[in-house]
Amino acid sequence: VRPTNFARRILYWLSVAVGLVLAIVPLPEWLSPVRPDLALLAVVYWILTSPRIAGLGYAWLAGLFLDVLQGMTLGQHALGFVLVAFLTHRAQLRMRMFPMLHQAGAVMLLLAAYHFVIFWTDGLTGHGYTGWNRWLPVLSGALLWPLIVAAGDTLTRRSR
Amino acid sequence: VVELSHDSRPIIGRGPPLGATFLTLALASVALMVADKRYDQLGQVREWMSAAAYPVQAAVDLPFRAWDWITDSFADRSRLREENLELTARLRLANLQLQRFAALEDENRRLRDMRENSAGVADRVLVASIMNVDLDPFRHRVLVDKGAREGVFKGQAVLDAEGIFGQVAQVHAETAEVILISDAEHAIPVQSNRSGLRTIAVGAGDSDRLSLPFVTVESDLKAGDLLISTGIGGVFPRGYPVAEVTRVDRTAAATFALVDARPTARLERNREVLLVWFTPPAAEPADAAAPAAEPAAEPPQ
């Protein structure tokens, strides 16, 4: 039986919710800057597999929730998420064909764009932290990408 | 008959064009940021959204709290006994000091009354515990488990047993966000306990260092001096320890000395803090020129 679009939407929101929870789970201090952006990676994965269900509005809302959970200026993560979602939508047909390593590289570029938006808006709102370690999630997210794909594929295999 | 799968319509040409949606949402984000940061207009929206976020935060906090509770309940007898002995010893010492302080406080109050200024001493406190939730790793902020429902207000002073911890930056219904004195956005007026020199301590984004950027090379300040709160600005109660000066570097050519201090409060997670209510002191003429204890708008360079 093919799952309905409604069931898929619920699955997509649940996976983002898990990513958001993992974004605020306390980690040891040395590990905390490396924390990958799991919610964003989930959004990118769902856009690649089903761009019609996972749209820009979905990405934007997910980012807004992250803003609220982290107590950031409202709209910061939302802007980053919607930019990444837009770029992913544009490159979706090509990115699906990429071999895994190539795809992880593309994800790294997307994450870099995301963190640049956060860095830039941080600076504009007066929080400028310029240490090199704020870019670590770009690397950890790209390294994690094959795992995300494996997990997502396992999750949806039955429905294909 | 060929059955069309639910996903067979073309991607292009369905719904509004991608670029337009992107522009709309991006502009909406920018508008939100401006409204939130520049005009502080989103109080109600934030309240609703944080009410939605609270269950998530509580769910993250719960397992850690449960683990603490379990380890506490099954603590072995010898450890409890040891802890008890240590606490008794500390209490005895504290009581001894209190006897001395009671007399001093009376005297102080009498002197202040003579100057018609007895306010500025904490008169009500509420114990709050820090929730096990990570906010942005590069900002020194924590979430505590008391909020507007308990009467917590924005700008309220937060202390711990060793000194000044921070102030409330955002109040939600059940929780409040506290900005620590070590956050790069925070500044607090302080006074040297030894020389009476007044200056401002700003956070350096480092949990065991504050920086004092406005100390001239001629100022009477040296390593080991205790910095206490002045009560200027009405945010923090007067006379509580803030930090201890760790380093004073004077170069003859510079106008300002390089001064670092270590906060006396323990700015780590997993601790209980005190939310303080006090009557702000009436402004003294001498204090009028000093800046207020608001978080600085710009981080210090």
Side-chain angles (χ1 to χ4, degrees):
Chain A
V1 180
R2 208 180 269 287
T4 59
N5 279 5
F6 181 69
R8 279 168 177 270
R9 267 174 215 281
I10 290 192
L11 173 66
Y12 297 175
W13 273 114
L14 274 181
S15 56
V16 163
V18 171
L20 290 176
V21 165
L22 290 176
I24 59 166
V25 162
L27 290 181
E29 198 138 329
W30 58 273
L31 201 60
S32 174
V34 192
R35 186 197 304 262
D37 311 286
L38 287 173
L40 183 63
L41 290 174
V43 167
V44 169
Y45 177 80
W46 294 127
I47 289 178
L48 287 183
T49 56
S50 40
R52 298 247 232 82
I53 302 172
L56 294 190
Y58 160 73
W60 188 75
L61 267 182
L64 200 61
F65 274 122
L66 188 56
D67 281 327
V68 174
L69 280 181
Q70 292 204 332
M72 306 272 276
T73 312
L74 284 186
Q76 262 192 287
H77 284 120
L79 183 62
F81 269 58
V82 83
L83 174 71
V84 168
F86 174 67
L87 294 176
T88 315
H89 264 280
R90 293 294 298 267
Q92 183 249 347
L93 289 177
R94 269 167 290 161
M95 265 180 81
R96 280 169 69 141
M97 296 298 124
F98 285 167
M100 184 50 72
L101 202 66
H102 198 156
Q103 205 174 54
V107 166
M108 190 151 120
L109 288 182
L110 291 173
L111 287 173
Y114 168 71
H115 279 276
F116 181 74
V117 168
I118 302 294
F119 176 55
W120 186 38
T121 47
D122 259 1
L124 286 181
T125 51
H127 294 278
Y129 172 81
T130 50
W132 58 274
N133 53 356
R134 73 174 296 145
W135 301 97
L136 278 175
V138 175
L139 201 63
S140 64
L143 290 176
L144 208 63
W145 179 250
L147 275 178
I148 303 274
V149 171
D153 285 355
T154 326
L155 208 62
T156 46
R157 180 146 302 148
R158 246 168 284 143
S159 65
R160 288 224 182 130
Chain B
V1 180
V2 180
E3 196 187 348
L4 288 175
S5 81
H6 74 293
D7 220 20
S8 63
R9 289 161 299 172
I11 291 167
I12 300 156
R14 177 177 175 268
L18 198 63
T21 321
F22 169 65
L23 270 184
T24 316
L25 289 175
L27 283 178
S29 320
V30 173
L32 268 179
M33 275 189 267
V34 173
D36 191 18
K37 195 72 194 178
R38 189 58 58 87
Y39 300 107
D40 214 357
Q41 283 296 310
L42 295 177
Q44 194 63 48
V45 178
R46 240 183 202 290
E47 214 163 281
W48 293 331
M49 297 203 68
S50 58
Y54 177 66
V56 181
Q57 291 164 337
V60 170
D61 183 44
L62 190 69
F64 292 92
R65 200 159 284 206
W67 177 249
D68 282 350
W69 184 81
I70 288 169
T71 47
D72 265 9
S73 340
F74 293 99
D76 54 301
R77 194 170 158 274
S78 65
R79 211 197 78 201
L80 282 179
R81 199 176 138 65
E82 217 169 88
E83 223 175 83
N84 195 326
L85 280 177
E86 195 199 315
L87 287 177
T88 317
R90 272 171 64 176
L91 186 67
R92 199 176 299 132
L93 203 70
N95 270 335
L96 204 70
Q97 286 181 337
L98 259 184
Q99 287 171 18
R100 200 159 52 88
F101 281 143
L104 280 176
E105 201 190 333
D106 272 354
E107 188 181 327
N108 198 343
R109 202 175 285 266
R110 262 202 317 278
L111 288 171
R112 288 245 187 92
D113 276 345
M114 277 199 279
R115 293 168 60 204
E116 291 174 340
N117 187 2
S118 65
V121 182
D123 39 41
R124 185 158 89 82
V125 296
L126 177 69
V127 178
S129 41
I130 297 173
M131 289 178 83
N132 292 291
V133 166
D134 264 8
L135 303 177
D136 189 318
F138 304 117
R139 289 177 207 186
H140 291 218
R141 292 176 191 228
V142 294
L143 208 63
V144 296
D145 65 348
K146 298 284 188 293
R149 197 151 297 175
E150 271 89 5
V152 177
F153 58 92
K154 189 173 174 172
Q156 185 168 22
V158 181
L159 274 68
D160 79 353
E162 275 86 25
I164 291 197
F165 189 82
Q167 62 174 294
V168 175
Q170 273 307 329
V171 190
H172 312 306
E174 310 278 358
T175 56
E177 211 180 295
V178 174
I179 172 168
L180 309 194
I181 54 172
S182 59
D183 189 288
E185 268 193 288
H186 195 272
I188 172 174
V190 293
Q191 184 170 27
S192 160
N193 206 18
R194 183 180 57 83
S195 64
L197 173 86
R198 281 176 179 174
T199 182
I200 292 179
V202 298
D206 180 349
S207 62
D208 52 9
R209 191 167 71 86
L210 297 183
S211 136
L212 280 66
F214 309 117
V215 177
T216 54
V217 282
E218 300 89 11
S219 303
D220 182 13
L221 201 66
K222 60 185 186 196
D225 280 5
L226 182 69
L227 300 171
I228 57 172
S229 56
T230 60
I232 296 169
V235 172
F236 295 104
R238 167 205 297 263
Y240 286 85
V242 176
E244 193 187 303
V245 176
T246 49
R247 186 176 73 115
V248 182
D249 266 3
R250 295 184 168 89
T251 45
T255 319
F256 293 110
L258 276 175
V259 185
D260 284 342
R262 196 184 54 245
T264 53
R266 300 225 201 121
L267 307 176
E268 305 140 18
R269 294 189 291 216
N270 295 328
R271 287 178 54 85
E272 313 234 289
V273 291
L274 305 168
L275 294 155
V276 176
W277 279 263
F278 66 98
T279 337
E284 290 177 56
D287 297 349
E294 298 295 321
E298 297 287 324
Q301 296 306 310

